[in-house]
Amino acid sequence: MKIAIVDYGIGNVRSILSAFENQGVDIFLTSDKKEILKSDGLVLPGVGAFSHGMKSLEGCGLVDVIKEYVASDKPFIGICLGMQMLFERSEEFGETIGLGLIPGKVIKLPTKDDQNEKLPHVSWNELNSKSTQWADTILEGIEEGSDMYFVHSFVAQPKDSNNILSTTEYSNYNFCSSVKKNNIYGCQFHPEKSGKTGLKIIKNFIRICQK
Amino acid sequence: MNKVRIIARIDIKNEFVIKGIHLEGLRKVGNPNEMARNYYDDGIDEIVFMDAVAAYYDRNSLSELIQEACVDIFIPITVGGGIRTIDDIKNALKSGADKVAINTKAVQDPDFITQSSKIFGSQCIVSSIEAKLIKDGKWEVYTDNGREPTGKDVVEWAKYVEELGAGEIMLTSIDREGTKKGFDINLYQSVVRSVSIPVIASGGMGNSIDAVRLLKDVNIDAIAIASVLHYKIESIKEIKNALLENQIKVHI
Amino acid sequence: MSKELEAYYGLPSVVKFCKKCVISNQRPSSTIEFKNEKGEKKKVINFNKDGVCSACVYHDEKETGIDWEDRDGKLRSLLDQFRSNDGSYDVIVPGSGGKDSAFTAHILKYKYGMNPLTVTWAPHLYTDIGWKNMQEWMHTGGLDNILYTPNGILHKEMTKNAFHNLLHPFQPFIVGQRIIGPAMAKKFGVKLVMYGENQAEYGNSIEENTNPIMDMDFFSSNDVLGMKFGGVSMQEYIDTGKYTKDDFSPYIAPDKQDLIDNGVEVHYLGYYLKWDPQECYYYSVENTGFQANSVRTEGTYSKYSSIDDKIDPFHYLTTLIKFGIGRCTYDAAQEVRNDKITREEASYLVEKYDTEFPSIYFKEFLEYIDTSEDEFWKTIDKHRSPHIWKKVDGVWKLRHTSSNMGTDD
């Protein structure tokens, strides 16, 4: 079984590679269309600006192949910016079109205009299920309220609440911290940076790929 | 209020972890990868690797070390010391770092912060500020690992780096660091109230009481600690428990 | 066949650098300063057949060939002999409150139970940080101190002469500094004087270091009027009519026989304890309120070594001029031996800092020695040995450096 990470020049891929390797799976970085379509699981990493990310994907000619891969029903996970780009558009720096694989948009994290709540949101923060079932998802076996590592200023707003896998509270606002739409997963947090619990989530994704 | 991040600061010279006082002295205290791994296993939230002598030798040489460390440490890693070009940042990130800390280069060429945050995103760019007390309420920015005064006011500089695009500030008190005499609370108070990006307090922690005192008074996002861990004065668990007992939220 | 270059001061004509540290074979050994006169031939550090200097050789011995537990035992026996039990002082520790003397005095008192009196031969001009550290030595370190400041008029004139005649402005200072320990011991009826490190650590002959006791010749004399200050004898100063023998009280070396009769012994703590200057820094910060300077010292990378005298940088400037090695070389060589930095790093630092001109206190120094800038440079240039310096496009450059970047390398 092989899992591919999309190589479009962005994202701290070394950590993701290490995290998957740590679980003993065959993981590789690629921008080759054939390799991507052949893989049993696909990871879309990403940090930084939405528009920069989309431009880079387009520049590498990867937008269509990602859509094609997702249509094949094989497991897919977007991390941080990788999750945000799954949506239709983002409000960062004017409007940018995303991959449109999940209905919804990306907005700036609403914070109260006081000293206590800063942007970017950089912290370990809790995942809440709000009675969503985590069994058979990448969050299976994860304890309610577990801390994950977040670094972001923007958040996704899925149109369909059924796509929301977990929420997290920041500045009195509950934002969507992970998503699931059929075979597509997205984490706003960084599982590869969230210690042993994060590794569990990666392990879950690998298991899903094996099915 | 965010959970306060507890960060281990590991200063490195060649293949050794070193610990100075007032950013001076190269006493060897351990092996970088060993210490980083231990802290990870003990529940630290983040690690900062600083090349303590990059300024002396006009080089930076942490890439190999970071690569090794990232193999089995799965928490955020920041690398600083001698980050002078876009390529330096690229190499650091390629090796596995999530963030880079920049000081001297930013003072010499503030546009470097803007350029790098545009390319890599501001979440990746930490402005490292070394502060030396001049008189009550005033601190001066130093560069080159606490060697060269700049004439710049710390609070003004902090505001400026935020404007330039830095995502976080790591603020080190030269007067307190390595002394285990507690944090310079006034320093952190002055900067925190003047910026809206996260601030990491670094320098002076001798025990958990120091951390509690700081965190009760100042809206600090993270503390970077060194001596207290390297000299095994307290464990990470003890520190986190002490904070929780004082109603300060941390990641367990 | 190139013309052989003249080497002043009887220095070795071929400049070589130690294979292990960065010191050169031009480094002078300690001398009996009050016999120091113009044109004297210098005794220098020894290099063995492998090109390694005696300081490095001694250091290796220190690492492997010495039983430090045994030495500690010897120290305890020694101190047991001298320890008082009636509250009187039982050891004199000369020093300025820098990291080394701070360590020495504090550890003798608080670990070994002695009752030290620290004695300071005042720097020419105290720096702010130097004064602060001296005070902290007492206030935080918990020690007693006597600060002895000699008559400035005479001291300045001697320093001026020393600068122009010997290019060694510190010469008169060193005379007083060596004498004050034993002199105070005699005055207070104390028999033991304890210094920190032994000069052998830095390249005197190794035999000197198998002996914990400082050679009495360094601080005693049978011919007081013949003692030289800045190359001028005491008698000659008196003959000018400006001074009398009274003015020379601080410099009159105790009579040798007198000291012997009084049982005065001068030891080096560095013989008994494994000396590491960097560890002295940590110790003094943690115990005596010592603080490094907030800025790097000119001519080196260090912030905590020898920071109490504004004239100090000019001592190192003159070693650079006469011997081709400046402050950074001294600091770096020591740190290489003590395994803090590599030789490569040391070379790099030396290239970066060794020839940096000490500008911060330049004006004050000129005032102190009553010399114009012109006169200053005339004297400096007179002492540049041709085998060390070469003028290239109007700028003086070193012919040889430890990283082989000299004009002749």
Side-chain angles (χ1 to χ4, degrees), chain C residues 106-119:
Chain C
H106 190 274
I107 207 171
L108 281 174
K109 180 167 182 178
Y110 292 99
K111 181 172 177 187
Y112 293 97
M114 299 298 283
N115 190 8
L117 173 64
T118 67
V119 155

Side-chain angles (χ1 to χ4, degrees), chain A residues 20 51 67 78 80 85 120 142 156 180 192 203:
Chain A
F20 275 84
S51 51
K67 291 185 181 168
C80 195
M85 290 194 293
I142 302 297
K180 176 185 185 305
E192 79 282 13
K203 201 174 184 170

Side-chain angles (χ1 to χ4, degrees), chain C residues 124-378:
Chain C
H124 304 85
L125 295 172
Y126 253 118
T127 58
D128 289 341
I129 188 75
W131 179 250
K132 183 164 187 286
N133 283 332
M134 213 282 271
Q135 295 284 288
E136 287 297 325
W137 195 21
M138 305 312 125
H139 295 320
T140 300
L143 295 155
D144 297 342
N145 171 268
I146 290 200
L147 172 64
Y148 193 106
T149 312
N151 166 359
I153 298 176
L154 174 58
H155 204 47
K156 282 190 209 180
E157 182 164 344
M158 298 199 298
T159 304
K160 176 179 183 173
N161 289 336
F163 178 77
H164 288 290
N165 294 336
L166 309 170
L167 202 69
H168 183 12
F170 257 70
Q171 186 261 346
F173 177 92
I174 296 174
V175 174
Q177 190 188 45
R178 292 234 180 91
I179 284 172
I180 195 158
M184 286 293 151
K186 204 172 139 208
K187 274 193 176 33
F188 279 86
V190 175
K191 293 197 164 79
L192 180 63
V193 180
M194 189 73 87
Y195 279 93
E197 338 170 56
N198 187 341
Q199 291 92 322
E201 304 247 348
Y202 300 98
N204 290 358
S205 66
I206 292 194
E207 300 72 58
E208 285 183 35
N209 202 55
T210 54
N211 185 352
I213 297 182
M214 188 190 284
D215 187 338
M216 273 200 177
D217 284 338
F218 279 110
F219 54 82
S220 61
S221 169
N222 295 326
D223 168 26
V224 164
L225 289 169
M227 291 175 72
K228 290 188 193 287
F229 303 93
V232 178
S233 74
M234 193 187 297
Q235 186 64 61
E236 288 170 274
Y237 280 100
I238 294 170
D239 288 343
T240 65
K242 273 198 284 183
Y243 305 102
T244 70
K245 199 167 171 200
D246 290 347
D247 292 297
F248 287 87
S249 306
Y251 308 94
I252 292 178
D255 179 70
K256 198 166 179 176
Q257 194 54 49
D258 224 5
L259 289 173
I260 294 173
D261 292 340
N262 278 291
V264 172
E265 287 182 31
V266 177
H267 289 247
Y268 300 105
L269 191 59
Y271 173 83
Y272 301 101
L273 301 178
K274 197 166 169 205
W275 203 263
D276 181 336
Q278 185 179 260
E279 285 300 316
C280 290
Y281 167 69
Y282 284 93
Y283 184 97
S284 57
V285 172
E286 285 163 357
N287 293 290
T288 70
F290 182 83
Q291 262 200 328
N293 207 355
S294 55
V295 289
R296 176 182 67 75
T297 302
E298 289 165 307
T300 186
Y301 56 93
S302 170
K303 276 160 68 181
Y304 60 66
S305 225
S306 210
I307 52 178
D308 49 46
D309 196 338
K310 295 181 183 178
I311 309 288
D312 203 52
F314 296 94
H315 167 68
Y316 289 103
L317 176 68
T318 58
T319 63
L320 176 70
I321 300 297
K322 286 185 297 186
F323 312 119
I325 48 181
R327 191 177 189 127
C328 189
T329 299
Y330 283 90
D331 287 341
Q334 178 270 114
E335 292 210 335
V336 170
R337 285 176 219 130
N338 282 304
D339 207 23
K340 313 296 177 201
I341 63 181
T342 64
R343 190 194 190 276
E344 224 180 272
E345 289 165 347
S347 273
Y348 188 92
L349 292 170
V350 168
E351 281 303 319
K352 203 168 171 182
Y353 296 119
D354 223 27
T355 53
E356 185 180 26
F357 185 78
S359 52
I360 296 178
Y361 298 125
F362 184 40
K363 272 214 171 62
E364 287 190 64
F365 178 63
L366 290 178
E367 255 176 59
Y368 191 88
I369 59 168
D370 186 34
T371 296
S372 72
E373 220 183 299
D374 259 349
E375 291 165 336
F376 172 87
W377 286 111
K378 270 212 193 81

Side-chain angles (χ1 to χ4, degrees), chain B residues 203-214:
Chain B
M205 175 157 162
N207 54 45
S208 348
I209 300 176
D210 293 329
V212 171
R213 279 210 185 108
L214 171 70

Side-chain angles (χ1 to χ4, degrees), chain A residues 86-88 100-105 157-160 163 181:
Chain A
L86 294 171
F87 289 83
E88 293 166 313
L101 293 167
I102 301 182
K105 62 179 182 192
Q157 270 190 331
K159 266 206 190 113
D160 183 355
N163 291 149
K181 180 171 187 271

